[in-house]
Amino acid sequence: MSRENYLFTSESVSEGHPDKVCDRISDAILDAFLTEDPYARVACETFATTDRVVIGGEVRGPGKVIQRVEEIARECVKDIGYEQEGFHWANLKVNSYLHAQSADIAQGVDAADNKDEGAGDQGIMFGYATTETPELMPAPVHYAHAILRRLAEVRKNGTEPLLGPDAKSQLSVRYEGGKPVGISSVVLSTQHASEAQSSEDIRNIVAPYILEMVPEGWITAETEWHVNPTGKFVIGGPDGDAGLTGRKIIVDTYGGAAPHGGGAFSGKDPTKVDRSAAYAARYLAKNIVASGMASRCTLQIAYAIGVSKPLSIYADLHGTGEVHETEVEKAVAQVMDLTPRGIREHLGLNKPIYQRTSAYGHFGRSPEADGGFSWEKIDLIDVLKAAV
């Protein structure tokens, strides 16, 4: 029997976190390739430290994009807001080591003769949805993202000029009867200008925005606050701690409320099932929950490199299902082509829509007119109901 009363904690990190700076650059390079060639192949990794950004990986696409890599990296760092000694968009050194995609990988992935396009790697991908929030996301990670996204807005529009780009949030949410009802503790660390003298100064700045972004009544007099608990946080970003693409996979997904297959998203084109199949799994899980078949759904899909069809599909409705899991598994395979090509075409993934996913979560966002966050649509409800 599942627990009904407990605390669960999730964290988020801002776009200025060192790892997120790297995710942003990798996804911006991916978008640049897809803008020129929707079928470009990209596997781009970024490393950032004091005054330096290093980019490497395998690509297949227009050479003129490779010539723009330094410019793209600087544009990302500038937009995030780094103009500090030790990491300034205009002064940092950018080294690019992108090279051609391996011919051995290409022969397994490319379509040829009667062979359909295969998965770019083996792996297991998970999707999850829950009725805890209107966005069908787990409450702890959803509101942790919302807080940092709001702080980034007021930092960038000049409302709160003392805030810096690097920040982390963490919420411990209290569940009663299996549903989120309040927040027992708030942890918020944010980079700031030297004019802010104490943690109390920072709390006075951020507290109104935190209260604005969480449900009314969830923060009470009993809620513990830890704002910049170590004190001064002036040196931030890659100057304070090195960053690397793909190190925030739990922040990117469900905050630990659901399993993760282990593969990161950023810098990977949609032939890589680490990314596209995880998006498809979220899409299907969300539509299952939105259809009323269950109030929670975890979906796993497995692939082998060079093989187009998934090896297995597994559903877990966590005891909340109105139908049996085996019926859901059959329906999922029926309503969506889960080959790499089928996923890309169904969700329209061969577009430059990835830079915007690099911070504040890949899931729980609103579908956009140009195809961004297409995996958040709930347009399969009727066909899923018909299939079961």
Side-chain angles (χ1 to χ4, degrees):
M1 182 180 294
S2 60
R3 293 180 64 188
E4 295 280 295
N5 304 317
Y6 55 93
L7 295 176
F8 193 85
T9 303
S10 295
E11 69 161 349
S12 179
V13 297
S14 73
E15 64 200 72
H17 184 280
D19 296 330
K20 283 293 154 196
V21 172
C22 295
D23 285 346
R24 171 75 175 272
I25 293 170
S26 293
D27 273 335
I29 292 168
L30 169 62
D31 279 354
F33 272 101
L34 293 177
T35 298
E36 298 294 332
D37 178 3
Y39 299 99
R41 299 289 172 83
V42 180
C44 175
E45 310 289 345
T46 302
F47 166 75
T49 187
T50 303
D51 276 336
R52 188 174 294 272
V53 168
V54 181
I55 299 159
E58 297 187 333
V59 297
R60 187 171 69 191
K64 62 181 179 180
V65 177
I66 294 179
Q67 298 169 12
R68 291 185 50 232
V69 163
E70 179 175 344
E71 173 193 348
I72 292 168
R74 292 188 191 280
E75 288 174 353
C76 290
V77 175
K78 182 179 182 180
D79 183 69
I80 291 168
Y82 278 115
E83 295 184 343
Q84 66 189 41
E85 184 179 355
F87 201 74
H88 192 298
W89 65 270
N91 302 328
L92 59 83
K93 297 179 177 65
V94 180
N95 300 101
S96 175
Y97 301 98
L98 293 174
H99 59 86
Q101 183 187 46
S102 161
D104 291 345
I105 292 176
Q107 71 176 355
V109 176
D110 290 349
D113 299 325
N114 294 323
K115 173 184 172 296
D116 194 8
E117 179 182 288
D121 201 352
Q122 71 176 46
I124 53 175
M125 294 81 206
F126 288 92
Y128 181 71
T130 173
T131 55
E132 290 179 20
T133 62
E135 295 78 9
L136 304 186
M137 284 289 288
V141 72
H142 179 72
Y143 294 117
H145 286 322
I147 289 166
L148 291 186
R149 194 161 56 241
R150 181 65 175 133
L151 292 179
E153 289 172 359
V154 296
R155 170 178 64 86
K156 288 184 167 184
N157 68 22
T159 304
E160 301 294 351
L162 293 183
L163 297 180
D166 195 355
K168 302 179 78 171
S169 64
Q170 183 173 286
L171 297 178
S172 296
V173 174
R174 187 174 74 256
Y175 286 74
E176 294 179 1
K179 297 181 179 180
V181 297
I183 294 172
S184 65
S185 67
V186 175
V187 182
L188 192 289
S189 296
T190 179
Q191 185 184 8
H192 58 85
S194 57
E195 291 91 324
Q197 296 298 313
S198 67
S199 297
E200 191 64 28
D201 292 339
I202 300 302
R203 175 169 172 171
N204 290 336
I205 293 171
V206 302
Y209 301 108
I210 293 173
L211 291 168
E212 174 190 338
M213 300 312 297
V214 303
E216 186 176 357
W218 277 28
I219 292 179
T220 67
E222 285 72 44
T223 302
E224 295 182 25
W225 289 73
H226 301 279
V227 176
N228 280 21
T230 62
K232 187 172 67 172
F233 185 6
V234 175
I235 300 173
D239 186 31
D241 191 11
L244 193 66
T245 299
R247 283 204 299 203
K248 287 293 176 284
I249 58 176
I250 300 302
V251 169
D252 283 344
T253 53
Y254 308 102
H260 195 295
F265 300 156
S266 290
K268 296 178 181 178
D269 75 75
T271 66
K272 279 73 170 174
V273 286
D274 276 345
R275 182 167 220 162
S276 57
Y279 289 174
R282 160 64 180 173
Y283 173 61
L284 290 163
K286 185 175 183 180
N287 275 269
I288 289 164
V289 171
S291 73
M293 293 183 196
S295 58
R296 289 176 62 202
C297 176
T298 299
L299 197 67
Q300 184 205 63
I301 311 174
Y303 291 87
I305 188 169
V307 179
S308 60
K309 292 185 178 181
L311 305 180
S312 66
I313 300 170
Y314 166 79
D316 184 357
L317 303 183
H318 305 277
T320 69
E322 298 296 325
V323 297
H324 197 275
E325 277 93 345
T326 56
E327 296 302 313
V328 171
E329 292 161 0
K330 292 175 185 175
V332 161
Q334 181 178 329
V335 304
M336 186 175 180
D337 179 354
L338 290 171
T339 65
R341 184 198 300 276
I343 293 171
R344 288 191 296 106
E345 292 178 351
H346 189 113
L347 295 178
L349 298 180
N350 287 103
K351 299 176 182 177
I353 55 175
Y354 297 104
Q355 189 175 173
R356 70 196 73 169
T357 69
S358 63
Y360 313 118
H362 292 245
F363 307 130
R365 313 280 284 272
S366 297
E368 297 176 348
D370 66 352
F373 301 102
S374 60
W375 48 93
E376 292 297 317
K377 295 185 294 186
I378 46 172
D379 56 1
L380 291 183
I381 291 174
D382 291 340
V383 292
L384 278 167
K385 286 181 176 180
V388 299

